[in-house]
């Protein structure tokens, strides 16, 4: 009741019934509504495990979860959720990503991300793909340390960056990572070169 009243009053103040209100409700370790409903077991990695054992069971389970989650957000007046995490898992991927990612397999990521986009769109919830153009090669927690990736541009475009190509999402959250072969000084978040030349033109 408190949350519904909050979102309602924000929209009254802004004089906009569709005013954007965002939440970071991934499930798993990143759940902001855990005092209302506990989704700590349902990381993207959880659904990856189901999907890679049985594609039908995995897909249907993920759809059911997203239906529930989206209905809950509709009920409380939140209309943008910062999911999905499209970072590809690597051997040295820091645990800050870990099971928040779908998979090390690009095909699995491409299937499950589309499920996510489709369900959120059905419930009129905006999605925020993250962490563009790819956080999987970071071996540090970028909340605490600067990550630098030395991988070649061609390799990144074929692999990590490819997960973000032509995605069906209106929003994206950038990676706080320096991709040394693209912009040696600035993280993706602060790089005109990376945002204009890679994210906008190539992805």
């Amino acid at each position: 009741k408190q949350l519904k009243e909050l979102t309602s009053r924000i929209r009254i103040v802004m004089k906009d019934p569709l005013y954007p209100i965002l939440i970071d409700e991934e499930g798993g370790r990143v759940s902001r509504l855990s005092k209302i409903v506990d989704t700590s077991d349902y990381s993207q990695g959880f659904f990856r495990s189901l999907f890679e054992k049985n594609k039908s069971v995995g897909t249907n389970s993920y759809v059911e979860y997203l239906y529930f989650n989206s209905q809950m957000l509709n009920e409380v007046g939140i209309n943008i959720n910062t999911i999905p995490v499209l970072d590809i898992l690597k051997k040295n991927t820091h645990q800050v990503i870990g099971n928040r990612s779908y998979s090390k397999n690009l095909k699995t990521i491409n299937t499950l991300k589309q499920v996510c986009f489709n369900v959120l769109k059905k419930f009129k919830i905006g999605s925020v793909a993250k962490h563009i153009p790819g956080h999987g090669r970071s071996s540090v927690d970028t909340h605490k340390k600067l990550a630098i990736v030395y991988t070649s541009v061609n390799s990144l475009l074929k692999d990590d960056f490819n997960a973000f190509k032509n995605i069906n999402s209106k929003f994206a959250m950038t990676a706080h990572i320096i991709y040394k072969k693209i912009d040696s000084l600035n993280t993706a978040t602060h790089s005109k070169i990376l945002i204009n030349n890679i994210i906008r033109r190539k992805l």
Side-chain angles (χ1 to χ4, degrees), residues 10-62:
I10 288 170
R11 292 194 168 99
I12 289 168
V13 168
M14 300 310 297
K15 299 178 181 177
D16 182 355
L18 300 177
Y19 192 76
I21 299 176
L22 291 78
I23 195 167
D24 204 5
E25 184 58 38
E26 293 178 11
R29 287 175 288 141
V30 183
S31 174
R32 310 305 179 193
L33 299 178
S34 58
K35 295 289 176 73
I36 298 174
V37 60
D38 183 9
T39 60
S40 59
D41 289 333
Y42 304 111
S43 65
Q44 289 188 181
F46 172 84
F47 293 104
R48 175 263 324 283
S49 297
L50 293 179
F51 179 82
E52 291 182 347
K53 288 175 187 170
N54 185 309
K55 288 183 170 54
S56 177
V57 170
T59 301
N60 291 334
S61 298
Y62 191 39

Side-chain angles (χ1 to χ4, degrees), residues 3 5 15 34-35 64 85-86 97 134 141 146 183 189:
L3 184 53
E5 185 175 354
K15 299 178 181 177
S34 58
K35 295 289 176 73
E64 288 293 325
V85 177
L86 301 185
I97 298 297
D141 179 351
L146 177 63
D183 184 336
T189 303

Side-chain angles (χ1 to χ4, degrees), residues 90 137 151-162:
K90 303 290 179 186
R137 291 183 191 268
T151 309
S152 72
V153 181
N154 284 340
S155 294
L156 289 168
L157 285 169
K158 287 178 185 175
D159 192 39
D160 304 61
F161 295 4
N162 203 5

Side-chain angles (χ1 to χ4, degrees), residues 1-202:
K1 286 180 179 178
Q2 287 178 321
L3 184 53
K4 287 172 74 172
E5 185 175 354
L6 174 65
T7 57
S8 176
R9 288 190 178 194
I10 288 170
R11 292 194 168 99
I12 289 168
V13 168
M14 300 310 297
K15 299 178 181 177
D16 182 355
L18 300 177
Y19 192 76
I21 299 176
L22 291 78
I23 195 167
D24 204 5
E25 184 58 38
E26 293 178 11
R29 287 175 288 141
V30 183
S31 174
R32 310 305 179 193
L33 299 178
S34 58
K35 295 289 176 73
I36 298 174
V37 60
D38 183 9
T39 60
S40 59
D41 289 333
Y42 304 111
S43 65
Q44 289 188 181
F46 172 84
F47 293 104
R48 175 263 324 283
S49 297
L50 293 179
F51 179 82
E52 291 182 347
K53 288 175 187 170
N54 185 309
K55 288 183 170 54
S56 177
V57 170
T59 301
N60 291 334
S61 298
Y62 191 39
V63 168
E64 288 293 325
Y65 169 75
L66 289 169
Y67 263 62
F68 167 77
N69 204 28
S70 298
Q71 285 173 322
M72 178 175 65
L73 297 184
N74 280 168
E75 176 70 17
V76 298
I78 293 170
N79 58 0
I80 300 177
N81 192 4
T82 59
I83 59 173
V85 177
L86 301 185
D87 307 318
I88 301 177
L89 288 175
K90 303 290 179 186
K91 287 182 181 178
N92 66 337
T93 302
H94 192 276
Q95 264 311 110
V96 73
I97 298 297
N99 65 0
R100 294 170 61 201
S101 165
Y102 285 125
S103 182
K104 62 184 179 182
N105 185 310
L106 187 58
K107 288 183 179 178
T108 298
I109 292 172
N110 285 338
T111 301
L112 294 179
K113 77 183 182 188
Q114 202 54 52
V115 172
C116 181
F117 291 139
N118 290 344
V119 174
L120 266 60
K121 190 173 182 180
K122 182 181 178 70
F123 285 90
K124 297 183 178 179
I125 294 173
S127 56
V128 183
K130 59 192 185 187
H131 306 87
I132 199 169
H135 203 293
R137 291 183 191 268
S138 171
S139 58
V140 301
D141 179 351
T142 54
H143 297 101
K144 299 174 181 177
K145 293 182 180 179
L146 177 63
I148 301 176
V149 169
Y150 294 91
T151 309
S152 72
V153 181
N154 284 340
S155 294
L156 289 168
L157 285 169
K158 287 178 185 175
D159 192 39
D160 304 61
F161 295 4
N162 203 5
F164 294 88
K165 192 165 186 178
N166 299 319
I167 52 175
N168 187 21
S169 183
K170 301 294 184 188
F171 307 101
M173 184 187 297
T174 49
H176 308 316
I177 292 174
I178 289 178
Y179 300 90
K180 203 74 174 174
K181 299 294 172 68
I182 300 170
D183 184 336
S184 62
L185 295 176
N186 301 294
T187 65
T189 303
H190 304 100
S191 172
K192 286 184 179 180
I193 298 168
L194 204 139
I195 288 172
N196 289 330
N197 297 352
I198 301 294
I199 292 175
R200 294 195 186 280
R201 290 179 187 165
K202 293 188 182 294

